[in-house]
Amino acid sequence: MLKDFFGKSKYVTVERKSRSRRDKDRIKSNKEENKREMPDDLWTKCKRCKEIIFNKKLSEHLKVCPSCGHHFRLTATERISLLVDDQWFEEYDEELEADNPLDFPKYDSKINKYQKKTGLKDAVVTGIAKISGHKVSLAALDSRFLMGSMNSVVGEKLTLAIERAIEKQLPLIIVAGGGGGARMYEGMFSLMQMAKTSAALKRLDKAGGLFISILTDPTYGGISASFASLGDINIAEPGAKIGFAGPRVIKQTINRDLPEGFQTAEFLLEHGMIDKVVKRSDLKNVLAKILSIHDLRGEDNGE
Amino acid sequence: MASNYLDFEKPLVELEAKIQELRNFMEMKDIDLTDEIERLKSRTTTLREEIFSQLEPWQVLQIARHPERPVTLDYINLICDDFIELHGDRQFGDDKALIGGIGTIGRMPVTIIGHQKGKTTKDNIERNFGMAHPEGYRKALRLMKQAEKFNRPIVALINTPGAYPGLGAEERGQAEAIAKNMMEMAGIDVPIIVVILGEGGSGGALGIGVGDKVMMLEYTYYSVCSPEACAAILWKDAKEAKAAAKALKITANDLLELGIIDTIVSEPPGGAHKDYNLSAQLLKEEIMKEIEFLQTLSKEELLDNRYNKFRKMGQVKEKVGEIVEK
């Protein structure tokens, strides 16, 4: 199975599932190129194996391509629904939104646009959830919102989630997925969220709290170089692109092509950077096992 | 005429050339032009103050990247009475772009870590232009842990365009190395002084940048990404870097105002490269003052203050009347 991912994956950017009507028009006008494209209220084309998948079937397969196993990106809400018991999720701090602290040109309109598009206030959803009976402090990033980049809101909500884990003695699970790293529009405020979340994780660590970091496609820059790499256990989804610098920057710097499979979850596993590559369909079970093993320390985790 | 000057320094260079011309003339013709020379000298000083007091962020960035600017080892040699460089991360190798060691400032023992740039091309290639690999960050962490063991204050000197974006760096976990350093620096119970000496390039800088006092030299920058990269991404045009430099708020003055840094360390007139000794002296005084203060705190106070300092960074909008639950 792993070999398949290595063999086949190229540096494709995984396409978001939902497309706008405008895109449909574009598809029509590019009929020659996209002979197999269809209106995607019903169908989605797998970026990797080009298979056309009935959307209902794709959902049933947790947005994993039934023919090649390619993991499509999930929204924060989809991710949370996938992991928690019977929608057992209580959201926290949902009112926090970006304030354009630097008066950065066009930032306000960007925020507005993505808020409308995603229905989220910013790029992360946090709260308390139950996973196979275990109460946890859970956070999920949403890569649709300005590429899942970290700004003051994301940093603050994550830090509050970490502090909740410490205070309520709950395990912490953060699902990372952000290709944007630290968000440029908030300048150094964004960069400092890396230090802020990492410092909070040090407190959790000292308090003996468990942190499971789940790295999904894509996890880069200020996301990978802070909380996402700091799990007691780091788990990645198959084929997820994870790295510090983006492939284009590296290619420009070293002036040669990058090896096949570079910066994939499997590449990180091979280089000792993550503990496990776990298929989406197994993720909840694996988490449940890890949580149970930690429960055996004899601690009551709030249940 | 000076060979290495920045475009906004041109009027100064011209004045200095004129002064030199008058001196030569005076010698040749045996005419007394002392008064004229003095007048020009004082005009130069006024003009320099004027120019340097209203630099654009883009101009500050040029000084921060000046090829003659003192580098980390220059400062170490001028500040420390003793210094022994220590090498290697004990895991993979020794990174010449991020150095470290032990020494004394006055009678105070310290551990110093810092990015090392070169000045010549050859030197810079050896130092990888101050762009560290994971083994550099891991060496820095090893030395900081050692400092904690021996209860030595730590001085972290930052001067990097960013962490190196390369194959080996990715294979060996650049992201993890930087993340780990930030996490551990939040818990190391000796005083940590962080100084931006020149370039404070993003995560590569912050990887040794968590401390009790964060200082910036007067003509330096500290940024989430290089203004060039920002311009290329957001304006789709690297030529907009000047606008990006302004929008990103990267100068010492801006960052002091935003509460990202604590102190601005003055530089000699015209920048640190005009007077290495004076620049080092000014920095040494600040470092000693801060360490002396930090050493009066208990370890708990020190760590709590450090946590709260970074904890409060950021700015979010909240609905009026609602209080964020903590």
Side-chain angles (χ1 to χ4, degrees):
Chain A
M1 185 61 107
L2 290 184
K3 235 165 56 190
D4 290 345
F5 288 117
F6 259 107
K8 285 179 190 167
S9 75
K10 280 188 181 166
Y11 299 105
V12 291
T13 315
V14 181
E15 200 169 48
R16 265 185 238 107
K17 209 214 95 195
S18 61
R19 287 208 204 89
S20 65
R21 303 223 173 272
R22 205 185 49 213
D23 279 358
K24 265 197 278 173
D25 296 338
R26 183 181 57 79
I27 289 161
K28 261 185 223 159
S29 66
N30 288 337
K31 250 184 190 162
E32 294 277 286
E33 270 177 62
N34 300 296
K35 269 179 201 153
R36 303 182 67 192
E37 291 272 8
M38 304 221 175
D40 45 30
D41 298 65
L42 288 177
W43 306 88
T44 300
K45 183 175 167 184
C46 176
K47 257 279 177 184
R48 197 209 267 163
C49 72
K50 313 291 182 217
E51 188 77 19
I52 305 285
I53 314 157
F54 194 32
N55 274 349
K56 202 173 153 224
K57 195 174 174 192
L58 189 60
S59 295
E60 281 164 12
H61 281 80
L62 311 172
K63 284 196 166 178
V64 175
C65 175
S67 67
C68 75
H70 171 69
H71 284 53
F72 287 75
R73 291 177 186 174
L74 294 184
T75 68
T77 333
E78 287 169 338
R79 174 67 63 182
I80 290 165
S81 321
L82 175 83
L83 292 179
V84 307
D85 305 343
D86 304 322
Q87 307 301 310
W88 207 108
F89 180 74
E90 188 187 348
E91 188 174 357
Y92 277 69
D93 311 314
E94 66 266 38
E95 72 282 6
L96 296 189
E97 56 182 316
D99 197 24
N100 198 0
L102 307 186
D103 284 322
F104 205 99
K106 294 179 193 161
Y107 184 38
D108 293 307
S109 62
K110 286 252 176 207
I111 289 288
N112 272 329
K113 182 180 141 192
Y114 283 98
Q115 284 183 340
K116 283 201 185 101
K117 192 174 158 187
T118 60
L120 302 172
K121 284 273 186 336
D122 215 294
V124 73
V125 177
T126 58
I128 294 197
K130 223 182 239 183
I131 297 178
S132 302
H134 302 271
K135 224 172 172 184
V136 299
S137 176
L138 177 68
L141 273 83
D142 197 311
S143 66
R144 294 172 306 162
F145 200 105
L146 277 164
M147 291 172 76
S149 53
M150 180 154 62
N151 65 338
S152 300
V153 175
V154 174
E156 181 66 22
K157 285 176 81 169
L158 287 174
T159 305
L160 288 167
I162 297 165
E163 288 174 342
R164 258 194 306 280
I166 299 170
E167 194 190 317
K168 298 182 192 286
Q169 298 189 343
L170 298 175
L172 170 74
I173 299 178
I174 300 177
V175 186
R183 191 177 299 169
M184 277 182 280
Y185 300 94
E186 292 186 28
M188 285 297 287
F189 280 129
S190 295
L191 193 76
M192 288 303 154
Q193 303 311 311
M194 294 167 66
K196 184 161 118 182
T197 52
S198 303
L201 286 171
K202 181 71 201 174
R203 289 208 154 177
L204 177 70
D205 185 60
K206 273 189 183 165
L210 168 68
F211 170 33
I212 305 172
S213 176
I214 301 170
L215 297 92
T216 69
D217 187 66
T219 299
Y220 276 95
I223 307 284
S224 66
S226 63
F227 61 89
S229 293
L230 294 173
D232 294 298
I233 297 174
N234 295 336
I235 293 173
E237 282 198 329
K241 290 294 170 61
I242 303 157
F244 175 67
R248 199 170 41 86
V249 175
I250 298 174
K251 210 172 150 182
Q252 276 167 6
T253 309
I254 64 171
N255 206 13
R256 62 187 158 105
D257 286 334
L258 302 172
E260 189 81 2
F262 182 63
Q263 291 187 326
T264 56
E266 294 74 13
F267 172 92
L268 265 79
L269 183 70
E270 195 178 309
H271 286 94
M273 292 304 144
I274 52 175
D275 292 280
K276 232 172 160 43
V277 176
V278 177
K279 281 192 294 185
R280 192 168 289 163
S281 53
D282 294 341
L283 189 56
K284 188 170 176 176
N285 281 338
V286 171
L287 287 179
K289 268 187 203 166
I290 296 170
L291 291 169
S292 307
I293 290 168
H294 284 79
D295 256 2
L296 294 177
R297 289 182 306 182
E299 282 176 19
D300 177 0
N301 71 353
E303 184 39 50
Chain B
M1 216 158 130
S3 59
N4 240 324
Y5 66 89
L6 304 166
D7 54 358
F8 59 87
E9 290 180 304
K10 205 173 170 203
L12 293 173
V13 177
E14 281 169 359
L15 272 175
E16 273 161 7
K18 203 172 268 174
I19 292 170
Q20 194 53 44
E21 220 173 89
L22 286 181
R23 278 203 185 114
N24 293 347
F25 197 70
M26 200 164 95
E27 263 176 41
M28 252 163 48
K29 305 276 172 165
D30 204 22
I31 316 169
D32 186 15
L33 293 169
T34 322
D35 285 354
E36 181 69 5
I37 289 174
E38 282 308 313
R39 208 174 54 77
L40 282 180
K41 268 189 178 169
S42 98
R43 224 174 98 194
T44 313
T45 310
T46 324
L47 185 62
R48 177 175 290 125
E49 276 168 15
E50 206 177 289
I51 291 175
F52 276 78
S53 66
Q54 45 197 344
L55 292 173
E56 289 289 317
W58 179 250
Q59 294 170 325
V60 173
L61 186 128
Q62 300 306 309
I63 305 175
R65 290 175 178 167
H66 199 289
E68 285 163 13
R69 196 172 170 82
V71 293
T72 296
L73 275 172
D74 292 323
Y75 281 106
I76 289 176
N77 290 330
L78 290 166
I79 286 173
C80 292
D81 296 72
D82 260 321
F83 181 73
I84 301 170
E85 189 178 344
L86 302 173
H87 295 271
D89 69 342
R90 301 290 189 272
Q91 295 176 54
F92 178 80
D94 184 45
D95 192 340
K96 290 181 174 144
L98 212 176
I99 60 148
I102 54 174
T104 52
I105 301 178
R107 289 182 47 78
M108 181 171 61
V110 288
T111 286
I112 301 187
I113 54 169
H115 303 98
Q116 177 68 13
K117 282 191 186 180
K119 285 190 196 129
T120 62
T121 307
K122 192 180 156 225
D123 203 13
N124 253 322
I125 289 167
E126 188 188 324
R127 298 294 182 178
N128 202 30
F129 299 85
M131 293 186 283
H133 279 76
E135 48 274 22
Y137 292 100
R138 291 180 183 132
K139 169 171 67 180
L141 182 57
R142 177 176 77 84
L143 295 178
M144 288 190 283
K145 289 276 187 189
Q146 187 189 72
E148 186 179 36
K149 176 178 173 186
F150 296 106
N151 204 23
R152 275 194 295 268
I154 297 164
V155 179
L157 303 173
I158 291 173
N159 189 11
T160 181
Y164 188 64
L167 279 183
E170 294 291 326
E171 285 171 352
R172 298 194 290 279
Q174 187 75 288
E176 191 271 347
I178 290 171
K180 183 78 177 290
N181 274 22
M182 291 187 298
M183 178 173 168
E184 293 302 325
M185 286 178 92
I188 286 174
D189 66 9
V190 293
I192 303 177
I193 305 285
V194 177
V195 188
I196 314 286
L197 292 180
E199 292 192 90
S202 195
L206 190 56
I208 56 166
V210 177
D212 305 298
K213 290 286 167 189
V214 180
M215 309 175 182
M216 279 175 85
L217 264 54
E218 199 173 351
Y219 307 120
T220 61
Y221 80 93
Y222 195 2
S223 181
V224 65
C225 65
S226 79
E228 289 90 341
C230 175
I233 297 166
L234 297 185
W235 279 273
K236 312 284 176 213
D237 185 0
K239 291 196 200 86
E240 292 292 335
K242 282 183 191 177
K246 201 167 189 172
L248 284 167
K249 302 258 193 306
I250 59 174
T251 63
N253 284 326
D254 282 337
L255 295 175
L256 185 68
E257 203 176 301
L258 295 175
I260 302 288
I261 63 160
D262 305 292
T263 312
I264 300 175
V265 185
S266 304
E267 290 190 31
H273 56 290
K274 301 285 185 194
D275 190 342
Y276 280 29
N277 284 310
L278 180 56
S279 184
Q281 187 56 39
L282 293 167
L283 178 58
K284 182 179 175 176
E285 282 163 17
E286 282 295 335
I287 291 175
M288 290 189 72
K289 191 178 87 189
E290 294 297 353
I291 291 181
E292 271 164 30
F293 165 72
L294 292 168
Q295 281 178 330
T296 63
L297 302 176
S298 73
K299 290 192 182 301
E300 290 71 28
E301 280 174 311
L302 185 76
L303 291 181
D304 280 348
N305 291 353
R306 193 185 300 159
Y307 185 78
N308 293 331
K309 169 185 170 62
F310 286 91
R311 179 67 187 84
K312 67 176 200 286
M313 286 185 192
Q315 190 178 314
V316 300
K317 203 193 303 181
E318 288 159 29
K319 275 186 194 152
V320 182
E322 277 186 37
I323 297 161
V324 184
E325 190 184 331
K326 293 240 160 143

